[in-house]
Amino acid sequence: IMNHRHPGLSNSFMVSVRHPQALRYNDEAVIQNYALATAFTYLTDPEMNFFIHTDMPLQDTLRLLLIKSIIKQDLKYHFPEVGLLKTKMGSSFPEDTIEDKVVLMSTAIRLAEISWICRPQNIYVRWSERVVEEFFAQGDLEKSMGLAVSPFCDRDVVSAPKMQLSFALVICYPLVSAWCALYPELEQPLVQQGLEQNRAYLEAQVRGTVLK
C-alpha cells in the first residue's frame, strides 16, 4: 500500500507546487494519504476485498492500524517514531494496545523500506544508485520549474557517497539499532553482514578509495 503509485517525488515538493493530491489532502502526508485512499477504494470491489469474510470490528481495527501506520511513513514522523520506539522499549513493550501496535507496524514498515542499505554490497549499490537518481531527478525538475532545489537533490552540488553515508548514519542506524535491541537475532544479518559493511564501503568512497 505505502508506495502505491508513488510519484518519485517528496511530500514537500507536492505541497510546494500545489499538486492536486496536496490540495485534496490538505498538505498532510500527501503521498501516504493518496496510497491509502486508493487502496481502500479498491476494497469496495467485493472481488478485491480480502477483508470481506472478516467481521466488521476486525475490519475496523485493521483499517485503523493501516491508516495510522502508513501515515507515519511521511518522513517528518521518522525521528519522533524512532524516539517513541526507544522510549517504549524501556518498559514492558509491546503491550496489546493500538498505540504499541502502531509503533511496531510503522517502524517495521520504515525498516523494510530502508532495508536495502542492509543488503549485501552488490544489492545495496544497485538500490543506492536508483535512490540517488530519484533525488537528483526531483532536483532537475525543481530547477526546470525555477524552484529552490530541495536538500540532497542537486546533482551539480551533492556528493552521492556523502549523501548516502549521512543517510546511513542519521536515518538508518538509529532505527536499525532499536529493532536489533528489540529482536537481537536481526543484529547479524542487518548490521554485521549489511549495514556495517556498506558503511565501510561509503566511508572509503568519501575518502577517495573503494573497498573491493
Side-chain angles (χ1 to χ4, degrees):
I1 292 174
M2 186 184 70
N3 288 322
H4 178 59
R5 293 184 178 175
H6 195 292
L9 301 164
S10 67
N11 277 329
S12 59
F13 175 86
M14 303 285 276
V15 170
S16 68
V17 300
R18 302 292 190 270
H19 190 280
Q21 290 180 19
L23 298 178
R24 174 174 293 180
Y25 299 112
N26 300 312
D27 299 345
E28 289 295 324
V30 176
I31 294 168
Q32 291 76 24
N33 269 307
Y34 173 77
L36 282 163
T38 304
F40 283 114
T41 298
Y42 292 154
L43 295 183
T44 61
D45 181 347
E47 293 187 0
M48 300 180 69
N49 187 1
F50 55 90
F51 291 150
I52 198 166
H53 296 299
T54 60
D55 58 43
M56 286 305 299
L58 178 57
Q59 289 188 40
D60 291 342
T61 299
L62 291 171
R63 174 175 162 82
L64 177 65
L65 289 171
L66 280 171
I67 290 172
K68 287 183 174 291
S69 299
I70 298 297
I71 291 296
K72 296 293 186 182
Q73 301 316 303
D74 186 336
L75 189 57
K76 72 179 182 181
Y77 294 114
H78 176 78
F79 293 110
E81 283 297 288
V82 173
L84 181 58
L85 174 62
K86 290 181 176 180
T87 298
K88 283 184 169 292
M89 286 168 58
S91 59
S92 54
F93 176 80
E95 296 183 346
D96 189 18
T97 64
I98 291 294
E99 182 180 55
D100 281 7
K101 290 175 182 177
V102 169
V103 172
L104 274 178
M105 285 181 62
S106 66
T107 55
I109 292 169
R110 173 67 69 185
L111 182 63
E113 184 183 23
I114 66 171
S115 64
W116 52 270
I117 204 167
C118 300
R119 302 300 182 190
Q121 187 177 309
N122 63 322
I123 298 174
Y124 159 72
V125 169
R126 293 201 301 270
W127 269 97
S128 65
E129 289 172 349
R130 287 167 171 78
V131 171
V132 168
E133 182 54 35
E134 182 176 294
F135 273 61
F136 287 165
Q138 177 174 310
D140 294 343
L141 179 58
E142 289 168 329
K143 290 178 183 178
S144 71
M145 298 175 69
L147 302 172
V149 180
S150 297
F152 307 113
C153 292
D154 192 335
R155 70 172 73 243
D156 298 321
V157 175
V158 172
S159 163
K162 288 182 179 179
M163 178 179 73
Q164 294 173 56
L165 184 58
S166 296
F167 177 76
L169 296 176
V170 177
I171 300 292
C172 301
Y173 259 97
L175 176 58
V176 174
S177 297
W179 265 79
C180 287
L182 193 60
Y183 300 104
E185 63 271 21
L186 297 176
E187 176 77 19
Q188 182 173 356
L190 292 186
V191 178
Q192 297 175 13
Q193 298 176 353
L195 190 51
E196 285 290 347
Q197 293 184 21
N198 292 328
R199 183 180 74 168
Y201 169 78
L202 289 170
E203 289 173 341
Q205 283 199 317
V206 171
R207 292 195 304 268
T209 60
V210 178
L211 295 177
K212 299 298 185 181

